[in-house]
Amino acid sequence: MRDIKEIILILPIVVFSIIIHEVAHGYCALLLGDTTAKENSRLTLNPLRHFDPFGAILILLTLAGFFPFGYAKPVPVNPHRIRLKKGMLYVAAAGPLSNFGLLLFICIIIRIIALNIEVIDVFYFYLIKVLLIGAGINGVLLMFNLIPLLPLDGGRILYELLPLKYKIKFGSTERWGIFILLLLLITDSHFNLNILSYILYLPTLFFISLTTGLAINKILMFL
């Protein structure tokens, strides 16, 4: 369980990363002709416009170490207003791509800092810590949302790529998707199966290590 100081440190990073993810969906839809998100004032970084009470509670529980899940209010998208035939594929991919962009940007900043300082004092220690937490959060958000299960972005990407006869069958699983996801999350956490560790955390750690030049054990020391 994290202490209150760590939660206060991490919360703004989590909120910002989730909001960027949702806004990316909306902006992509806008570029493809759907103004629904804009009309609903959702193309903003204002947290209040993306606030979901239950999702916010889950985020706090996640930060406290009790529950590995949380979300913001999904940005509304009208598929019938999207101009491209496969436009929803790009809209679905925009969220994870935004998290990848943030992850890569943060890792480049860490790399620059690591190459230009000889001694890590208190200031640089906490700066690198915050940056690594930001990178970790965006890496986990990226991998989590790419799980090929509706209603996650990975499921929507897979749905758009499937032939019509399989698309209909796969689309019918969305009603059960959230329950399957919660069952996986709770089971993995309660029984220490570590399935999510392989899916979410290991790829994130390897990518951060590869791009920053930091050894994984040093990254874990900061986290």
Side-chain angles (χ1 to χ4, degrees):
M1 179 178 175
R2 296 184 184 273
D3 61 38
I4 189 66
K5 291 181 180 178
E6 278 193 282
I7 293 175
I8 292 172
L9 175 68
I10 297 171
L11 182 59
I13 303 172
V14 174
V15 171
F16 177 76
S17 301
I18 292 176
I19 290 174
I20 287 291
H21 178 103
E22 291 300 330
V23 171
H25 286 308
Y27 264 113
C28 184
L30 180 64
L31 291 173
L32 296 175
D34 178 25
T35 59
T36 306
K38 183 179 180 180
E39 292 165 359
N40 285 270
S41 302
R42 295 297 305 281
L43 301 183
T44 174
L45 297 180
N46 182 356
L48 296 178
R49 303 299 306 177
H50 303 276
F51 180 75
D52 181 275
F54 187 62
I57 291 172
L58 292 181
I59 289 173
L60 290 174
L61 290 174
T62 298
L63 293 179
F66 291 114
F67 197 78
F69 188 53
Y71 59 90
K73 183 165 60 176
V75 166
V77 176
N78 186 345
H80 300 293
R81 300 171 76 175
I82 300 292
R83 287 193 293 262
L84 293 181
K85 184 179 180 181
K86 288 289 185 181
M88 286 303 294
L89 172 65
Y90 303 117
V91 173
L97 281 174
S98 71
N99 293 124
F100 176 75
L102 285 171
L103 168 61
L104 182 59
F105 176 74
I106 293 170
C107 287
I108 291 172
I109 297 298
I110 295 171
R111 179 87 178 193
I112 292 171
I113 292 172
L115 290 173
N116 287 278
I117 61 171
E118 296 181 1
V119 179
I120 299 179
D121 56 20
V122 174
F123 171 78
Y124 281 112
F125 176 86
Y126 280 102
L127 176 60
I128 293 173
K129 180 181 180 70
V130 170
L131 290 171
L132 281 173
I133 288 172
I137 287 169
N138 279 280
V140 169
L141 282 173
L142 167 65
M143 298 307 300
F144 179 79
N145 279 283
L146 286 179
I147 295 174
L149 181 70
L150 291 170
L152 296 178
D153 295 328
R156 301 206 182 280
I157 293 170
L158 178 59
Y159 176 83
E160 293 297 328
L161 293 173
L162 287 172
L164 183 59
K165 61 178 180 179
Y166 298 115
K167 182 181 289 189
I168 296 172
K169 292 180 180 178
F170 182 65
S172 66
T173 67
E174 183 165 1
R175 71 183 73 176
W176 308 110
I178 191 66
F179 298 107
I180 296 171
L181 182 61
L182 288 173
L183 180 63
L184 173 63
L185 290 167
I186 294 170
T187 303
D188 188 72
S189 176
H190 184 72
F191 293 104
N192 294 317
L193 299 178
N194 295 320
I195 296 173
L196 290 178
S197 295
Y198 291 104
I199 297 175
L200 307 180
Y201 304 118
L202 283 183
T204 297
L205 282 172
F206 278 118
F207 183 85
I208 293 174
S209 178
L210 180 67
T211 52
T212 63
L214 297 175
I216 290 178
N217 63 323
K218 287 189 176 181
I219 296 171
L220 292 173
M221 179 185 71
F222 282 99
L223 299 178

